[in-house]
Amino acid sequence: MSDKINIPKKLIEVALPLDDINAACAYEKMPGIGPHPRGIHLWWARRPLAAARAVIFAQMVNDPGGERGWTNKITKTQAAREREDLFEIIRELVKWENSDNVLVLDRAIAAIKKSWKETCDLNKGKPGFNPEELPSFHDPFAGGGAIPLEAQRLGLNSYATDLNPIAVMINKSMIEIPPKFVDIKPIGPMPRKQNQLDLINKWSGIKGLAEDVRRYGYWIHHEAQKTLDPLYPKVKVTPEMAYIREDLKEYVGKELKVIAWIWARTVKSPNPAYNEVDIPLVRSFILCNKKGKEAWVEPVPKNQGYEFKVRIGKQPDSFLRGTMNRGGGTCILSNTAIPLKYIRKEAQAGRMKYRLMAIVVQGQRQRVYLSPNKEIEKNILDIHVSEAPEIDLPKKALGFRIQQYGMKKYKDLFTNRQLVALTTLSNLVEAARLKAIEDATKKGMDDDGCGIDSGGTSATAYGDAIAVYLSFVIDRCADFNNALTGWRAGNEKVMYLFSRHAIPMVWDFAEANIIENVVGGFTTNLDYQVQCLLKINGKGLGSAYQKNAIHENYNLEKIISTDPPYYDNIGYADLSDFFYIWMRQSLKNIFPSLFSTLTTPKAEELVATTDRHGTKKVAEQFFMEGMTEAIKKMSETSHPAFPVSIYYAFKQSETKSDMTSSPGWETFLEAIIEANFSIVGTWPIRSEQSSRIRGIASNALASSVVLICKKRSISCNSISRRQFQKELRLKMPEALEAMIGGAEGVLPIAPVDLAQAAIGPGMAIFSSYNGVLNQDGSQMSVHDALILINKSISDYLNPDSGNFDSDTLFCDDWFGQFGWGEGLFGEANVLAQAKGTTVDGVADSGVAVSGGGKVRLLKWNEYPTDWDPQKDKRTPIWEACHQMIRVLNQQGETEAGALLAKMPEKGEAIRQLAYHLYTQCERKKWAEEARAYNELIGSWHAIVSASQETVTPERDRQLELDF
């Protein structure tokens, strides 16, 4: 028996229905889709579940075409048909509404098992190839848990490891804990005036566990109210308050529930005349900007100071919108500038304070805004704190700027009232845990005293599990209840802190009422988390551990898909300490090893942060060496039958005239190649909820790129630079042609994704060798390889490299210089002669106008609507392409198909030109122009289908001949 392993190519090495995956990812990120597993606990830059599910599936199923070793070779048409069947599974699999659709998931699992059996049949008797048991899955950088969760959903035993305790707990909550407590009835006390979860009687799956999280959460809320109610009083509307506020008259004598308190930070005025006055630092005085419901705050001068008054109605033209901008503030009394340098100095000296600006209360189906009063403000500011997290903030860290404003400890991020509330709730988690254990044993659940950290599944472990999810609720409360949360005037609610990967400074902030059922309130957050928990099916086995991806020896032969840290974009460890300080308070006795340190591990975290390592060079070297070791572990221990998929967030990119690149991207590719991987594919996976093309403006081509990696053969040699360039010239055109739709059964890559996807075949050549040697014998860098790869892409798409007509070559060059703007006739004449045409000829063809010594190309919407290519005596590809864009935009795909049917011989050239022009617009950041070309390619298959259904005289004659 031969020791050689026979491994069929996987689908992900060949093709993906990328547009369908990206559309599903974008949809999943949209607000309003309802509860989502990510709502269980916040983590930064999670991958969409749709992407994780699609990648793992395509990573495991065999591609029907090409290297089909388990049977006789099949035709391209049959392979295309079978590939389309797999595409259809992916299309259904990635839909948000199918996340827990048993029929869809079973179909996908069946396809995975079928491929696995085929692979095992090729490798009978060899270790690791048991057709009765799917290999297990491992994510060594598990983070927010999206990838391990989806592996488990696809029928795999899922293992998740991460260095960060918060990430470990998130993964435990999603893949490890739920399967332990499936199909149990809830045992907790029913909340007062509350019905059980959706009136459920059959407690299938983890519905019982979720219901108990809710019940014990309400028990905590009830107990906490005994302490916290006096700190969150209602506000009584008096006749005096309603005297000048007509909208308050219906509430006179009533006590209204407070939704939020709006505060303004203050510093002493730098003007000597007002240096005893605390001047407000306010970004916006607007409380509500809904039409007909406008509310705003006016600082009214009074006794050498001022007081805040809430005003109702449209703001006057003289309305003061705020006192702060990027450069600093302005004194409302003297109009003196308050530089940021002065504000920071005052804050660091402990003289920055905050003052109550407005109170938001619940009226009759609307928010009501009240002016503050001294008594309410004094009662809040006088609250005493007896217990607070005395943990230092990092002196400097990615995403942190608040230290320069006098905030040195985590407790400084909260008001005194918030500290008391969060501490009270945290302390009650342990009480709820003990009560759950007691209730469980009373209702007949066995208890062996083994906690969940030791693998227990009895009453003690069940109480531990309840405590885990309740601690998550408190973390969510902390996200909404701190002194850095804003107030949204558009939808009138508190905005949570982590809307991005940072803890930024906020001048005016909103303090939510944590004991009421409002945005930011404990019960609101509890109910939301329970709904999110129900999105986990609890099937399969899963385990989550705290491990360092560099040093830990993995169990061998696992399928690996992972989303590593992003170079220098996100400081996970420093940011997660915001949650760790509260979670540790609740869970340190349940998971003593995981929460043994006061803060999360920092020194070993794989991010290239200059603040931690001293210099950019040292930080980059640390990242490079660490990531190389981590990826080398993956290469050594991954299952030989499957490629490894690695996500990389392609952000902060630098688009230049010849390539798309970034330091992090190049460093990451270097690490993968250094780890003896060959990169066989790159797939841009998008998760923006906005239009795909808008990424050009922010220079973010894709939210992430998935790299498909296979172990490089030990016998690989080095090649010369010249040989590398030769292989690019030989192999890239075929690969690019397949990507833009020339290969049967392979869906076209949209122009917006082509630049990243096309790096795959180029890097496949580069990384398949031990090295590429320059003329001086030095190793070619990834940066230089990317330049050559990008050049081969540009050369392929450039009209000069094909059989394009002279008019099109002129238009392309002119467009690159002037876009749709005018240029001098003399320059146009020189260019036209060089391209083998004339300015008059180009104008006569209908694509440009010439006059007054100027020349300008026509935009697609200026082209004539009665154009017929069969009657036009001079039809450049440029004209045909832009006429196609005009008809698509004005009349739709069917009419565009009818137009293409009149000039089918120009189809491929039109498509290639559209790709080229998109790339050109992208690099020049011409977003609007690029959109038209991207949409043409996006609709191309539908247009071609429509053209084939269009009856033309030529087609009639052809049909007669065929008959």
Side-chain angles (χ1 to χ4, degrees):
M1 182 179 65
S2 172
D3 291 334
K4 184 179 179 181
I5 297 175
N6 194 350
I7 304 301
K9 256 188 181 178
K10 301 304 173 185
L11 180 66
I12 203 164
E13 299 177 60
V14 179
L16 287 178
L18 201 57
D19 275 358
D20 298 282
I21 297 170
N22 285 330
C25 290
Y27 180 82
E28 188 182 323
K29 288 284 186 175
M30 290 177 66
I33 67 167
H36 187 288
R38 64 173 175 251
I40 293 174
H41 196 287
L42 184 143
W43 190 256
W44 300 271
R46 269 189 177 104
R47 293 306 94 213
L49 302 183
R53 208 176 307 143
V55 167
I56 294 170
F57 175 82
Q59 193 175 340
M60 295 193 66
V61 294
N62 299 330
D63 179 67
E67 302 171 12
R68 187 163 182 164
W70 61 90
T71 185
N72 294 327
K73 275 201 167 184
I74 59 176
T75 65
K76 287 186 177 181
T77 301
Q78 186 181 347
R81 187 164 57 247
E82 292 185 19
R83 192 179 287 126
E84 178 59 31
D85 289 341
L86 294 176
F87 286 167
E88 192 55 39
I89 292 176
I90 293 176
R91 292 188 185 104
E92 291 300 310
L93 197 62
V94 297
K95 290 179 181 177
W96 170 243
E97 61 269 24
N98 287 340
S99 297
D100 52 4
N101 186 315
V102 175
L103 294 177
V104 172
L105 291 171
D106 283 351
R107 186 184 174 197
I109 293 170
I112 289 171
K113 289 181 176 179
K114 178 176 178 287
S115 285
W116 175 236
K117 185 179 183 304
E118 291 166 347
T119 304
C120 290
D121 287 345
L122 288 172
N123 298 277
K124 286 182 180 179
K126 295 172 184 173
F129 292 91
N130 179 2
E132 303 302 320
E133 183 179 350
L134 288 171
S136 295
F137 173 87
H138 180 222
D139 181 352
F141 293 102
I147 301 174
L149 177 65
E150 294 312 305
Q152 189 180 61
R153 205 190 301 269
L154 288 173
L156 306 178
N157 291 341
S158 190
Y159 292 84
T161 55
D162 202 287
L163 182 64
N164 192 297
I166 300 295
V168 174
M169 288 309 307
I170 292 172
N171 280 274
K172 283 182 179 292
S173 75
M174 294 202 295
I175 67 169
E176 182 179 304
I177 296 175
K180 294 177 182 289
F181 304 107
V182 173
D183 299 338
I184 64 169
K185 292 182 180 180
I187 50 91
M190 285 287 289
R192 295 179 181 182
K193 298 180 182 180
Q194 292 288 332
N195 295 322
Q196 66 187 26
L197 190 65
D198 296 331
L199 298 177
I200 291 173
N201 292 312
K202 296 181 179 179
W203 301 99
S204 60
I206 61 169
K207 293 174 183 175
L209 172 64
E211 172 65 9
D212 268 338
V213 172
R214 191 180 75 89
R215 291 184 184 184
Y216 286 103
Y218 272 94
W219 180 86
I220 284 180
H221 181 255
H222 176 72
E223 295 299 308
Q225 283 181 305
K226 299 172 184 178
T227 300
L228 301 180
D229 266 353
L231 306 185
Y232 293 88
K234 295 180 178 180
V235 176
K236 186 174 183 178
V237 179
T238 64
E240 292 78 14
M241 294 165 65
Y243 181 72
I244 58 172
R245 287 273 302 276
E246 186 71 26
D247 63 304
L248 294 181
K249 290 186 177 179
E250 64 176 303
Y251 303 113
V252 171
K254 296 180 180 179
E255 287 191 331
L256 302 181
K257 175 178 72 177
V258 179
I259 294 171
W261 293 261
I262 313 296
W263 298 88
R265 298 191 197 279
T266 65
V267 293
K268 300 293 184 183
S269 174
N271 188 308
Y274 299 97
N275 60 9
E276 293 301 316
V277 181
D278 293 313
I279 301 300
L281 308 174
V282 178
R283 179 187 57 84
S284 174
F285 283 114
I286 297 176
L287 299 171
C288 178
N289 57 16
K290 294 179 180 177
K291 190 173 182 180
K293 296 183 179 181
E294 293 88 352
W296 46 287
V297 174
E298 181 184 9
V300 180
K302 182 179 180 181
N303 300 330
Q304 289 295 103
Y306 64 95
E307 59 182 4
F308 288 123
K309 292 291 183 182
V310 169
R311 307 299 191 195
I312 305 299
K314 192 173 182 180
Q315 300 91 354
D317 293 339
S318 60
F319 164 66
L320 178 64
R321 295 188 174 274
T323 65
M324 289 296 296
N325 57 39
R326 289 182 177 275
T330 303
C331 175
I332 59 171
L333 300 178
S334 64
N335 207 34
T336 302
I338 310 178
L340 278 178
K341 186 177 180 180
Y342 173 84
I343 294 172
R344 291 167 184 154
K345 183 179 178 181
E346 289 293 289
Q348 290 169 10
R351 292 190 287 270
M352 178 181 279
K353 302 176 182 178
Y354 46 87
R355 179 169 172 175
L356 189 60
M357 193 164 66
I359 304 172
V360 190
V361 298
Q362 183 62 55
Q364 293 293 330
R365 297 183 179 180
Q366 65 177 350
R367 304 284 191 262
V368 175
Y369 298 90
L370 305 176
S371 300
N373 64 58
K374 292 292 184 182
E375 182 181 357
I376 292 175
E377 183 175 5
K378 184 177 185 302
N379 289 338
I380 297 173
L381 293 176
D382 285 348
I383 291 173
H384 174 68
V385 177
S386 59
E387 186 179 352
E390 296 286 345
I391 305 297
D392 291 337
L393 285 162
K395 291 183 179 180
K396 285 186 177 182
L398 287 171
F400 283 76
R401 295 293 181 270
I402 50 177
Q403 297 91 331
Q404 56 192 327
Y405 296 101
M407 300 180 187
K408 304 299 183 184
K409 295 180 179 290
Y410 276 96
K411 69 175 184 179
D412 298 334
L413 308 186
F414 303 88
T415 67
N416 282 0
R417 178 164 57 178
Q418 289 168 339
L419 288 171
V420 172
L422 291 170
T423 301
T424 300
L425 292 166
S426 292
N427 291 339
L428 283 167
V429 170
E430 174 62 14
R433 170 183 168 271
L434 295 175
K435 180 170 176 56
I437 295 171
E438 180 183 359
D439 292 344
T441 53
K442 285 180 179 179
K443 293 195 175 182
M445 186 181 288
D446 292 335
D447 188 17
D448 57 8
C450 184
I452 201 163
D453 191 33
S454 301
T457 57
S458 64
T460 295
Y462 191 64
D464 292 347
I466 300 296
V468 167
Y469 295 109
L470 292 176
S471 75
F472 284 16
V473 177
I474 292 166
D475 276 3
R476 184 171 174 84
C477 286
D479 195 13
F480 280 92
N481 291 269
N482 58 78
L484 294 166
T485 55
W487 175 257
R488 281 187 171 177
N491 49 16
E492 300 179 279
K493 67 179 184 181
V494 174
M495 178 64 182
Y496 52 90
L497 168 60
F498 286 108
S499 59
R500 55 194 178 96
H501 315 141
I503 299 182
M505 183 60 182
V506 174
W507 302 110
D508 45 292
F509 65 93
E511 183 180 11
N513 191 334
I514 200 169
I515 63 169
E516 293 287 356
N517 190 25
V518 301
V519 173
F522 179 82
T523 56
T524 305
N525 290 325
L526 170 67
D527 290 339
Y528 178 73
Q529 195 209 60
V530 168
Q531 293 299 323
C532 293
L533 181 57
L534 287 168
K535 288 296 180 180
I536 297 172
N537 59 26
K539 294 181 180 179
L541 296 177
S543 300
Y545 305 100
Q546 185 183 31
K547 303 289 184 184
N548 187 325
I550 297 175
H551 305 304
E552 183 61 29
N553 289 321
Y554 313 139
N555 292 328
L556 296 177
E557 297 187 340
K558 284 186 171 61
I559 300 157
I560 295 177
S561 181
T562 192
D563 183 16
Y566 299 154
Y567 188 60
D568 63 350
N569 286 339
I570 304 172
Y572 301 91
D574 289 309
L575 291 173
S576 62
D577 278 342
F578 178 89
F579 297 117
Y580 184 85
I581 60 173
W582 300 109
M583 191 180 291
R584 183 175 185 270
Q585 187 171 327
S586 302
L587 301 182
K588 62 185 176 182
N589 293 328
I590 302 175
F591 299 95
S593 176
L594 194 60
F595 293 96
S596 62
T597 55
L598 292 177
T599 60
T600 59
K602 307 290 192 307
E604 296 173 293
E605 184 188 31
L606 274 180
V607 289
T609 168
T610 303
D611 294 329
R612 191 175 297 160
H613 296 285
T615 68
K616 184 177 180 179
K617 183 177 180 181
V618 173
E620 183 173 311
Q621 183 179 358
F622 170 81
F623 177 84
M624 175 70 179
E625 291 176 354
M627 191 58 68
T628 300
E629 286 301 310
I631 297 173
K632 192 175 290 184
K633 288 284 186 182
M634 298 182 214
S635 175
E636 293 170 353
T637 60
S638 64
H639 198 291
F642 304 94
V644 171
S645 58
I646 305 175
Y647 293 72
Y648 180 77
F650 198 80
K651 297 178 180 179
Q652 299 176 354
S653 58
E654 302 163 358
T655 302
K656 303 175 183 178
S657 60
D658 59 347
M659 65 180 296
T660 302
S661 180
S662 75
W665 174 235
E666 292 169 9
T667 303
F668 197 75
L669 290 175
E670 291 273 14
I672 290 175
I673 294 168
E674 184 69 23
N676 296 317
F677 265 133
S678 176
I679 300 168
V680 297
T682 52
W683 297 103
I685 301 293
R686 299 181 164 272
S687 58
E688 293 87 359
Q689 60 202 36
S690 56
S691 171
R692 296 160 58 90
I693 200 71
R694 290 177 188 169
I696 297 171
S698 62
N699 205 15
L701 301 183
S703 59
S704 59
V705 176
V706 180
L707 297 104
I708 312 306
C709 307
K710 297 180 80 170
K711 298 174 187 178
R712 188 162 60 243
S713 171
I714 298 175
S715 61
C716 288
N717 299 318
S718 296
I719 60 170
S720 67
R721 179 188 182 97
R722 178 174 293 181
Q723 181 63 28
F724 175 55
Q725 291 174 297
K726 181 180 179 181
E727 291 200 32
L728 286 176
R729 288 193 298 271
L730 289 173
K731 297 178 181 179
M732 285 296 285
E734 182 180 355
L736 289 166
E737 182 59 27
M739 284 186 173
I740 66 175
E744 193 168 11
V746 180
L747 294 180
I749 301 294
V752 72
D753 293 321
L754 184 64
Q756 280 303 324
I759 288 174
M763 288 307 300
I765 298 170
F766 180 78
S767 60
S768 64
Y769 295 100
N770 284 334
V772 176
L773 303 179
N774 293 313
Q775 291 175 336
D776 61 0
S778 62
Q779 288 268 0
M780 179 184 288
S781 67
V782 165
H783 175 82
D784 290 344
L786 286 173
I787 290 176
L788 294 176
I789 293 168
N790 277 274
K791 184 178 184 302
S792 69
I793 298 169
S794 297
D795 289 345
Y796 173 78
L797 295 174
N798 195 321
D800 280 324
S801 66
N803 296 316
F804 285 85
D805 55 272
S806 297
D807 292 345
T808 296
L809 296 178
F810 167 84
C811 292
D812 174 60
D813 209 319
W814 190 259
F815 181 72
Q817 295 181 59
F818 301 101
W820 305 119
E822 291 184 331
L824 295 175
F825 177 87
E827 293 182 37
N829 189 48
V830 172
L831 178 62
Q833 290 177 3
K835 298 298 181 182
T837 186
T838 64
V839 175
D840 290 342
V842 172
D844 289 343
S845 72
V847 299
V849 291
S850 175
K854 298 292 180 66
V855 176
R856 176 178 67 85
L857 295 176
L858 294 174
K859 294 189 70 172
W860 60 262
N861 55 7
E862 297 179 276
Y863 279 55
T865 57
D866 59 351
W867 182 72
D868 186 343
Q870 295 176 340
K871 297 178 181 179
D872 193 349
K873 295 180 180 179
R874 184 168 180 165
T875 305
I877 297 301
W878 185 275
E879 180 182 24
C881 178
H882 290 84
Q883 280 286 5
M884 288 289 296
I885 291 172
R886 179 191 64 78
V887 174
L888 176 64
N889 278 271
Q890 296 176 353
Q891 297 173 269
E893 292 173 346
T894 301
E895 290 304 313
L899 179 60
L900 181 61
K902 293 182 178 182
M903 49 177 182
E905 75 286 352
K906 291 184 169 60
E908 287 305 303
I910 291 171
R911 193 160 56 97
Q912 184 174 335
L913 181 63
Y915 272 103
H916 165 72
L917 292 175
Y918 170 81
T919 303
Q920 191 167 350
C921 292
E922 172 206 41
R923 288 174 176 168
K924 292 179 178 293
K925 300 182 177 62
W926 295 347
E928 191 60 39
E929 287 77 6
R931 183 178 287 112
Y933 305 114
N934 193 61
E935 289 173 352
L936 178 62
I937 298 302
S939 300
W940 192 256
H941 269 241
I943 292 171
V944 171
S945 296
S947 75
Q948 292 170 348
E949 296 172 3
T950 302
V951 178
T952 63
E954 291 77 8
R955 184 159 293 157
D956 275 343
R957 286 193 293 273
Q958 185 61 48
L959 288 172
E960 290 175 7
L961 291 171
D962 291 343
F963 180 77

